[in-house]
Amino acid sequence: MARVALVLGSGGARGYAHLGAVQELRERGHEIVAVSGTSMGAVVGGLVAAGKDADFTAWASTLTGRRVVRLADPTWTGGGAATAEKLMAALDEIVGDVLIESLPIPFTAVATDLAARREVWFQRGPLIPAMRASFAIPGLFTPAVVDGRVLVDGGLLNPLPLEPTAAATADFTVAVSLQGPREPHEPTSPARGFSVRRAEWAADLRRRFRRGEEELTESPEAPAEAPPADAVDVRPDVRTAEVVSLAFDAMQSLITRYRLATLPPDVLVTVPLSAARTIDFHRAGELVDLGRTLTKAALDDAGR
């Protein structure tokens, strides 16, 4: 058995793969002695540190596309498209009102202070608000305000927070990045393009995001729930959400490459961007399995 420092990256719904990585580490008898996470990595990391990740996995596996939209709590004010208050309430039911410093495993959640343009490491204080601050993707979720700071997603500056675990007493570090290339040899050099008339690209854009909206509201894993008779259609602007998430992914992929070059982990698990969209939170089962498969291969390659 080895002592493992675990680093969990940002990437929205692909973060379910973190749960599979944890399952594989435990199956091999490894002990997780420190966890750091950004965005969805902070959510899963906090649950792991609290010993509640199995409960979360069971809950997430019941989500459908319609339930995901409702949990997001769409809004039209406050600096974002959704508040996620219902999601926070669900996490509170799973974890309870606990302090980060009282968790069985040392944990760090990373957020971004917009005004100061610097990372904020939460290592003390209530766990749920730290999670909320860490996953506030700009444009999608409303920012969190803590101690006068306006905080958003930690992935804005640090999509794979290796630094908080650098001093941990561990035998090796496992980092799970959710920013892998869509293809094995995805090019990173600039591409030459040709401009087209605005009507052409506008039509293509509408077709693409109409398909995305249909996929989100109809889950392939379970029949959609019938809304209450008096329900109001509060779907967020899914097309805008996908534009924001794709832009965020592009930025985080570049930052992750630089971070890994500066402080490489002993074992790197890479989940490709093509595994799921940021908003595909109704696909927990398959993404947990993918995370376990990729972690098994990475550990085998490293002889761990």
Side-chain angles (χ1 to χ4, degrees):
M1 181 178 72
R3 293 165 59 86
V4 176
L6 183 61
V7 180
L8 304 178
S10 60
R14 294 188 300 278
Y16 286 136
H18 294 324
L19 296 163
V22 171
Q23 292 175 4
E24 183 63 25
L25 286 168
R26 288 177 175 157
E27 181 69 23
R28 294 176 181 237
H30 297 320
E31 178 188 4
I32 298 171
V33 297
V35 185
S36 66
T38 291
S39 195
M40 187 61 172
V43 174
V44 174
L47 291 159
V48 170
K52 298 293 185 178
D53 49 293
D55 294 334
F56 176 75
T57 302
W59 173 80
S61 298
T62 68
L63 295 180
T64 64
R66 290 182 185 274
R67 286 192 64 194
V68 169
V69 172
R70 291 172 185 166
L71 286 168
D73 270 350
T75 184
W76 307 113
T77 59
T83 65
E85 289 303 316
K86 290 180 181 177
L87 173 59
M88 290 298 95
L91 289 174
D92 191 57
E93 288 186 14
I94 295 172
V95 179
D97 185 14
V98 297
L99 299 176
I100 296 173
E101 60 267 32
S102 68
L103 296 173
I105 301 173
F107 170 63
T108 302
V110 179
T112 298
D113 183 334
L114 275 182
R117 295 183 293 180
R118 65 187 296 186
E119 295 175 38
V120 177
W121 292 6
F122 286 102
Q123 297 176 322
R124 300 180 63 83
L127 175 61
I128 298 297
M131 291 178 175
R132 174 63 177 83
S134 185
F135 76 63
I137 299 175
L140 292 187
F141 295 109
T142 54
V145 180
V146 179
D147 290 336
R149 299 187 180 108
V150 178
L151 304 179
V152 296
D153 198 298
L156 190 66
L157 295 179
N158 195 347
L160 194 63
L162 292 146
E163 295 83 357
T165 64
T169 304
D171 297 311
F172 63 95
T173 298
V174 174
V176 185
S177 169
L178 307 179
Q179 304 299 326
R182 295 181 185 278
E183 301 173 1
H185 302 289
E186 184 177 67
T188 57
S189 58
R192 296 182 182 276
F194 295 89
S195 180
V196 298
R197 295 188 183 279
R198 182 178 180 277
E200 295 179 40
W201 61 254
D204 287 343
L205 193 65
R206 284 194 295 270
R207 282 194 294 270
R208 173 181 173 82
F209 294 132
R210 189 177 298 116
R211 288 196 299 270
E213 185 176 45
E214 291 169 356
E215 291 172 8
L216 178 65
T217 56
E218 295 297 333
S219 168
E221 297 182 0
E225 297 177 345
D230 60 348
V232 177
D233 185 3
V234 291
R235 289 180 299 171
D237 188 343
V238 179
R239 297 167 188 172
T240 299
E242 187 162 353
V243 170
V244 171
S245 64
L246 287 171
F248 211 58
D249 282 341
M251 178 194 70
Q252 289 181 110
S253 294
L254 180 62
I255 296 174
T256 298
R257 289 202 298 271
Y258 285 124
R259 291 277 184 175
L260 287 171
T262 301
L263 187 62
D266 299 297
V267 178
L268 175 63
V269 180
T270 303
V271 179
L273 288 165
S274 58
R277 296 177 303 164
T278 300
I279 56 178
D280 285 342
F281 288 100
H282 57 290
R283 297 174 54 191
E286 63 185 278
L287 291 168
V288 171
D289 290 343
L290 175 64
R292 185 158 190 168
T293 298
L294 294 173
T295 303
K296 181 180 186 303
L299 291 171
D300 287 345
D301 288 344
R304 303 289 186 173

